Amino acid sequence: MTYPQLRSQDPEIEHKTSSGLRGLVLAALGVVYGDIGTSPLYAFREALHATMGSGSHRENVLGILSLIVWALTIVVTVKYVSFVLKADNRGEGGTLSLMTLARESLSSRPAWVLVLGVAGASLFLGDAIITPAISVLSAVEGIQVVAPALSGWIVPITLAIIAVLFFVQRFGTGGVASVFGPVMALWFVVLGVSGTVHIVDDPDVLWAVNPLHALRYAASNVGTTITVLGAVFLAVTGAEALYVDLGHFGRRPIVTAWFVLVFPCLLLNYFGQGAFVLANPEMAAHPFFGMHPDWAKLPIVCLATAATVIASQAVISGAYSLVRQAMHLNLLPRLQILHTSETHSGQIFMPQVNSFLFIFVVALVLQFRNSSGLSAAYGIAVTGEMLITSVLLYVVMRRIWNWKMIIATAVVLPLVIIDAGFLAANVAKFADGGWVPVAVACTMGLIMQTWMSGRRLLAARTKMDEIPLAAIIDKLAQKQPPTVPGTAIFLTSDIEGAPTALLHSLKHYKVLHEHNVILSVVTAATPFVPDDEKIFLESFNPRFSRLIITFGYMETPNIPRALVLVRKLGLKFDIMSTSFFLSRRTILPSKRRGMPFWQDRLFIALAQNAGNATDYFGLPTGRVVELGLQTTI
């Protein structure tokens, strides 16, 4: 059997033809750079607090600024902008895309690449529950500077904003997304201007671009360097978003936005905060809000809150996208997907994921109650994901870009060392809250591993009871049962075996339709599959055909729409006289221990709560026949 070859597409060309570069740059500001753009609210402050007053105040400030400058330069500019953004899978980015790309490049499809992909996806979800909490909290805490009497309202206001943010997800973000870009553009301009104004307080801070300040600080403060590095890393959280959102905008708009606006404005603001603290040491507790004049403090708090809401929205949308990818790659059970836009397939709402994130975000705010406490929980998930990205990037460099080992090693090894250093610094915060994203990531990793193992076990058990499709077709040709008008489509995940629904239909109804189609849906290792390559049709005889529909892992499988393409290949049928036959399995634990008893129960619970195939594949509910059966694993 031959399968359709997948054609490479260049989304960058598609993006350019659909919209101008300027518009894409503005849109990228609102989606890609929200997280890293709100880091100035807390990154420099937490790094300064981490020094615990050790050493000279001036040397501390210059050392921290130098660490931040070079973290942004090496981690974001060199690693992500220069290398990782080029490792796209047909234009799509993110941990699962990189994992798929790396795994497909290795003929043996090693399990360790899959494990890294699962771990990276799990860590991203761990990070996704912290970003809304720390971002919104850090913005609302500006009230302490504007109106100290309202300090007791910080947590309630934060919870109210978060509740509204998650509630409006069901209505889609298309309407408000148009203002995301302009608001974030204004935010970055304000960052740059406010920083520039205060650099004149102590222009010597510009010497922090010299990496010797970072090295001297690390050498002179060995006892606190690890803690400070954990806080400095807050300045680059959100770098992974550049890669995750690659498919939405293409590489050029993301790179242009970074060099033209984001990177310069971030540097100017950090330098401004450093100069302000040197001139006003008593304001070290809240340097970002303290550096603005009294008349601007309230507008800045409002603008910061808007920016953090946008940053939170971006990570929530990223979580939806990642879970959908994981579902299509069979790493997670089917969950309900609601489309919030008729024109943009990427705008989706997932109720279960939304509820999961909301509960955990609220719990984090109530547990830590301030952004300083939450900063301890921030970092482990992001650094772990960045380290995984570096390892998978090495595979891509060697296997796909065909780089020599010495060159690939020379590029990746320093990046791995830096990522590992930041990870070690953040592991030091494990007991103070770093366990939170690790616990979430471990839970998600366990769920994915259980789902994959359970599916393999279920497929093996089912295959033992199945009959080859060719044998059934031959038997029915020799002794044909009564036929009824219309077309029957039998869905099955096993391409070679006879669908269980077909066997049970013959057993109970003892009739055969005029036309019978054995349908399998396959997920490709590419994000999108062109329409002219989606369909594989094979005819066995006038009554039986085999149909394989291939969707990309970023696409939402819709069988009725795909069947329209089948008509062009000669398969004639009327959808209103077509019945879809599915088998609904009730899974029971078995005494044969394929998995531990508790994991059997977990898999069964996941299967019971998975969305049904009718909704997942967009089948017309009035044309679906489900046949139940029991299977032990």
Side-chain angles (χ1 to χ4, degrees):
M1 183 185 305
T2 59
Y3 291 91
Q5 296 297 312
L6 303 177
R7 182 178 61 198
S8 174
Q9 292 178 307
D10 186 357
E12 191 119 353
I13 296 176
E14 295 176 5
H15 286 310
K16 289 178 185 175
T17 56
S18 63
S19 177
L21 178 62
R22 186 179 303 174
L24 285 171
V25 169
L26 190 62
L29 289 174
V31 176
V32 178
Y33 291 109
D35 194 355
I36 199 170
T38 53
S39 294
L41 287 169
Y42 47 80
F44 179 72
R45 179 194 71 195
E46 293 305 318
L48 199 59
H49 292 176
T51 64
M52 296 180 293
S54 62
S56 164
H57 181 62
R58 173 171 290 273
E59 290 304 317
N60 285 347
V61 170
L62 291 176
I64 290 170
L65 286 176
S66 187
L67 286 169
I68 290 176
V69 168
W70 285 100
L72 286 169
T73 302
I74 296 175
V75 174
V76 184
T77 305
V78 175
K79 177 182 175 180
Y80 281 91
V81 174
S82 300
F83 294 109
V84 175
L85 286 182
K86 295 180 181 178
D88 65 291
N89 188 356
R90 304 296 197 277
E92 290 294 327
T95 303
L96 291 179
S97 289
L98 187 61
M99 178 269 289
T100 305
L101 194 65
R103 198 160 186 242
E104 290 294 315
S105 70
L106 299 168
S107 56
S108 60
R109 307 287 173 84
W112 64 266
V113 177
L114 178 62
V115 170
L116 286 180
V118 169
S122 302
L123 289 168
F124 178 86
L125 292 175
D127 173 48
I129 69 169
I130 299 179
T131 296
I134 191 172
S135 297
V136 177
L137 251 180
S138 61
V140 177
E141 282 173 347
I143 291 176
Q144 293 176 324
V145 179
V146 177
L150 298 178
S151 297
W153 288 89
I154 289 176
V155 171
I157 292 173
T158 299
L159 292 176
I161 293 173
I162 288 172
V164 171
L165 173 64
F166 280 96
F167 177 75
V168 300
Q169 295 300 313
R170 67 188 70 248
F171 303 111
T173 58
V176 293
S178 59
V179 303
F180 282 6
V183 170
M184 289 307 298
L186 175 61
W187 171 252
F188 282 113
V189 169
V190 168
L191 289 181
V193 171
S194 62
T196 303
V197 167
H198 283 283
I199 287 176
V200 298
D201 292 348
D202 196 327
D204 285 347
V205 293
L206 295 175
W207 288 108
V209 296
N210 186 345
L212 290 177
H213 284 288
L215 296 175
R216 286 197 197 105
Y217 177 83
S220 303
N221 300 274
V222 177
T224 59
T225 296
I226 290 294
T227 307
V228 171
L229 280 176
V232 166
F233 183 77
L234 296 173
V236 296
T237 54
E240 196 74 21
L242 278 69
Y243 188 44
V244 171
D245 293 311
L246 177 62
H248 294 291
F249 305 102
R251 181 174 179 269
R252 189 179 174 190
I254 294 174
V255 173
T256 301
W258 175 251
F259 283 113
V260 171
L261 187 63
V262 180
F263 191 33
C265 290
L266 287 176
L267 291 181
L268 288 172
N269 192 265
Y270 283 121
F271 282 134
Q273 287 191 51
F276 176 74
V277 168
L278 285 177
N280 305 274
E282 72 281 1
M283 296 300 295
H286 293 285
F288 179 82
F289 291 107
M291 67 194 292
H292 295 91
D294 292 339
W295 61 267
K297 283 185 170 59
L298 182 58
I300 288 296
V301 170
C302 295
L303 180 60
T305 303
T308 55
V309 168
I310 292 172
S312 302
Q313 175 60 61
V315 78
I316 293 170
S317 300
Y320 294 160
S321 179
L322 180 104
V323 171
R324 181 171 70 167
Q325 288 184 47
M327 287 163 45
H328 295 169
L329 292 172
N330 293 321
L331 302 177
L332 286 175
R334 292 190 296 260
L335 300 175
Q336 185 180 16
I337 299 177
L338 302 177
H339 290 268
T340 59
S341 171
E342 296 181 357
T343 56
H344 300 285
S345 61
Q347 292 188 17
I348 59 175
F349 171 65
M350 303 185 70
Q352 294 100 323
V353 178
N354 195 65
S355 299
F356 168 83
L357 292 176
F358 174 69
I359 291 171
F360 274 92
V361 170
V362 169
L364 282 177
V365 173
L366 292 175
Q367 173 66 29
F368 291 94
R369 307 190 72 82
N370 61 74
S371 59
S372 292
L374 264 172
S375 68
Y378 212 16
I380 292 182
V382 185
T383 51
E385 189 177 8
M386 286 183 172
L387 184 58
I388 289 171
T389 297
S390 295
V391 174
L392 295 178
L393 178 65
Y394 179 80
V395 177
V396 171
M397 286 178 171
R398 293 279 295 121
R399 303 291 301 183
I400 298 179
W401 297 350
N402 296 318
W403 284 19
K404 293 182 178 179
M405 180 181 293
I406 189 171
I407 297 176
T409 303
V411 171
V412 173
L413 185 59
L415 299 178
V416 168
I417 292 173
I418 292 171
D419 289 338
F422 277 127
L423 179 60
N426 281 280
V427 167
K429 303 187 293 184
F430 186 86
D432 296 325
W435 59 269
V436 173
V438 173
V440 174
C442 289
T443 301
M444 293 306 305
L446 175 63
I447 290 174
M448 290 185 189
Q449 190 274 330
T450 299
W451 184 250
M452 288 187 291
S453 298
R455 275 179 52 85
R456 284 195 295 267
L457 198 58
L458 181 61
R461 296 278 192 267
T462 303
K463 200 171 185 65
M464 293 171 59
D465 302 326
E466 280 188 349
I467 302 173
L469 178 60
I472 289 293
I473 293 176
D474 290 342
K475 186 176 180 179
L476 291 175
Q478 296 171 7
K479 186 178 179 181
Q480 184 173 314
T483 58
V484 295
T487 300
I489 296 180
F490 297 91
L491 272 73
T492 177
S493 58
D494 185 357
I495 296 176
E496 302 297 336
T500 306
L502 171 61
L503 300 178
H504 280 255
S505 176
L506 290 170
K507 177 180 178 181
H508 293 289
Y509 302 138
K510 296 180 174 56
V511 295
L512 195 67
H513 283 73
E514 285 181 328
H515 304 288
N516 301 272
V517 179
I518 312 303
L519 172 61
S520 296
V521 176
V522 177
T523 301
T526 50
F528 300 97
V529 176
D531 286 349
D532 58 347
E533 299 174 5
K534 264 187 168 63
I535 307 301
F536 175 84
L537 181 63
E538 180 182 19
S539 179
F540 296 110
N541 58 45
R543 295 209 181 276
F544 278 93
S545 301
R546 182 194 332 233
L547 175 63
I548 300 175
I549 303 177
T550 305
F551 292 101
Y553 62 78
M554 287 294 291
E555 297 180 271
T556 298
N558 189 298
I559 289 178
R561 288 181 186 174
L563 289 178
V564 174
L565 303 174
V566 178
R567 296 184 183 183
K568 299 178 182 179
L569 299 180
L571 184 63
K572 305 298 182 183
F573 63 92
D574 179 10
I575 193 70
M576 297 311 296
S577 62
T578 299
S579 297
F580 295 87
F581 287 83
L582 312 175
S583 57
R584 178 177 285 274
R585 298 181 183 275
T586 299
I587 304 173
L588 303 174
S590 171
K591 293 182 179 180
R592 295 178 292 178
R593 285 287 177 258
M595 293 190 297
F597 179 78
W598 63 268
Q599 204 167 16
D600 274 350
R601 293 293 184 182
L602 176 58
F603 175 72
I604 292 171
L606 292 173
Q608 290 174 341
N609 288 280
N612 63 70
T614 302
D615 294 334
Y616 183 72
F617 292 117
L619 301 176
T621 54
R623 309 301 309 171
V624 175
V625 179
E626 292 188 347
L627 300 172
L629 67 153
Q630 292 184 340
T631 303
T632 59
I633 59 171

